Amino acid sequence: NVNGFKTNAWSWSNRSNGNVRTIEVTSTGIHSFDLWMRESGMIVDKIVITNDPNYVPSGLGPDESPSGDDLPTVDTPSISPAGGLYPNPVEITLFSNTPLAQIYYTLDGSPPLDGNGPTVSAQLYSGSFNVDLNATVTAMGTLSGYNNSAASAADFSIGNPSPILSPVGNQSGIVDQLLSFTVNASDADGSIPVMSAELSQLPTGASFIDQGNGRGVFNWTPDNSDLVNSPYSVTFTATDALDANVTTTETISITVADIPVVVALQQGTDGIVSIEAESFEENLSGSDGHAWMDNNQSGTSGIAMRVLP
């Protein structure tokens, strides 16, 4: 309804004559109001919007509302709790410090608002909600007369991740020497995995001790009898501290070797080369055409051998 305007005619007035032109909006929704100034030098002081039908403007009226780049910006919404790893569904709360601002959010990381309003994936926030699957919560605030807020985002991983077992790799040991190494594991949720090992294939004497800090220490001193069945298989397991059914394993092979032969070469004045060794097998006809023989010299202990030219 247009009141105070003449149809197809112009009327002149000034701010001192008390004339007020009004436009009554009778329905809710979005309405467009266009005002043209045909005459050069015409100045429109301001347009006042009110929900008080008895309001009568006087004087110069209230201050102008800002527009364009001068508009205030809605405060960036906060997301609580912060993103991270959660073993169970988590309840999400959104909040804006701008009174009356509406918050839109998405769960796929896409922007909830653009220049045309809410996007296809956007949901209007009306209260806390649960996230029970992996999601990236992105939130933006909007309010009439304000620029949209910046986007806030948080990544949520729901479920109990398996422990991470650092690679151990195959190992080797030597008869009568201690074989010792550490097995390490961690968990993305910050809990400490329980460390264990399946040692049933190893002879008696092997041990694996959980240190209680995500580390386990393996110790074994093989003997000569362990050479027969080498290599041996060992399985290490890191068990989740929150759920014993969640584990990570690695199976390695341990090879046992004999004590290395220590050889010393000696050359006598007669040109004969003697080889002293802790252990050897006599070979009377070498593949290179030479023959080997025991060389026991009086006054010496042990056995040596020499090659005949």
Side-chain angles (χ1 to χ4, degrees):
N1 297 329
V2 179
N3 302 316
F5 288 93
K6 294 181 180 181
T7 304
N8 298 323
W10 288 90
S11 63
W12 294 88
S13 64
N14 57 47
R15 66 187 182 188
S16 64
N17 64 11
N19 292 333
V20 176
R21 306 294 186 255
T22 63
I23 297 177
E24 182 181 354
V25 180
T26 59
S27 62
T28 61
I30 299 175
H31 301 270
S32 297
F33 174 74
D34 297 319
L35 178 64
W36 289 272
M37 296 172 285
R38 191 177 73 172
E39 302 298 331
S40 174
M42 181 179 179
I43 298 175
V44 176
D45 178 28
K46 53 180 65 75
I47 299 171
V48 178
I49 300 176
T50 177
N51 57 8
D52 181 4
N54 298 316
Y55 174 75
V56 177
S58 62
L60 296 178
D63 294 335
E64 291 88 347
S65 300
S67 61
D69 295 337
D70 295 328
L71 289 175
T73 300
V74 175
D75 184 68
T76 302
S78 61
I79 302 174
S80 179
L85 295 169
Y86 293 87
N88 301 305
V90 59
E91 185 177 10
I92 307 297
T93 300
L94 308 178
F95 177 76
S96 174
N97 285 321
T98 302
L100 303 180
Q102 290 183 312
I103 300 176
Y104 285 86
Y105 68 94
T106 61
L107 300 177
D108 59 4
S110 63
L113 295 172
D114 59 21
N116 297 318
T119 57
V120 175
S121 302
Q123 303 179 57
L124 176 62
Y125 178 72
S126 59
S128 60
F129 57 92
N130 286 335
V131 170
D132 54 8
L133 297 173
N134 292 347
T136 298
V137 178
T138 304
M140 293 179 67
T142 184
L143 180 63
S144 177
Y146 285 69
N147 291 316
N148 291 342
S149 76
S152 57
D155 294 322
F156 294 89
S157 296
I158 309 301
N160 190 14
S162 300
I164 302 171
L165 188 62
S166 299
V168 179
N170 295 333
Q171 303 287 323
S172 59
I174 298 175
V175 170
D176 295 334
Q177 295 184 21
L178 174 65
L179 172 63
S180 181
F181 56 87
T182 301
V183 181
N184 301 295
S186 60
D187 201 315
D189 61 16
S191 60
I192 299 177
V194 178
M195 309 298 293
S196 60
E198 173 55 56
L199 306 177
S200 60
Q201 294 191 25
L202 290 181
T204 304
S207 66
F208 184 79
I209 301 177
D210 183 5
Q211 304 296 300
N213 58 357
R215 296 181 178 180
V217 177
F218 175 87
N219 286 309
W220 182 34
T221 303
D223 58 29
N224 282 318
S225 63
D226 299 324
L227 292 169
V228 178
N229 295 318
S230 176
Y232 299 90
S233 178
V234 180
T235 299
F236 299 100
T237 301
T239 302
D240 187 84
L242 304 178
D243 185 349
N245 294 317
V246 180
T247 62
T248 301
T249 63
E250 181 184 356
T251 299
I252 70 166
S253 177
I254 298 180
T255 302
V256 178
D258 200 357
I259 299 174
V261 174
V262 179
V263 177
L265 298 178
Q266 295 180 352
Q267 181 174 354
T269 56
D270 56 359
I272 297 177
V273 177
S274 298
I275 302 175
E276 297 181 0
E278 295 183 6
S279 63
F280 70 92
E281 294 183 3
E282 185 175 21
N283 185 355
L284 298 180
S285 57
S287 59
D288 58 356
H290 294 89
W292 296 88
M293 62 174 293
D294 291 344
N295 181 28
N296 279 322
Q297 298 182 4
S298 61
T300 62
S301 61
I303 299 177
M305 57 185 176
R306 68 179 182 179
V307 60
L308 299 178

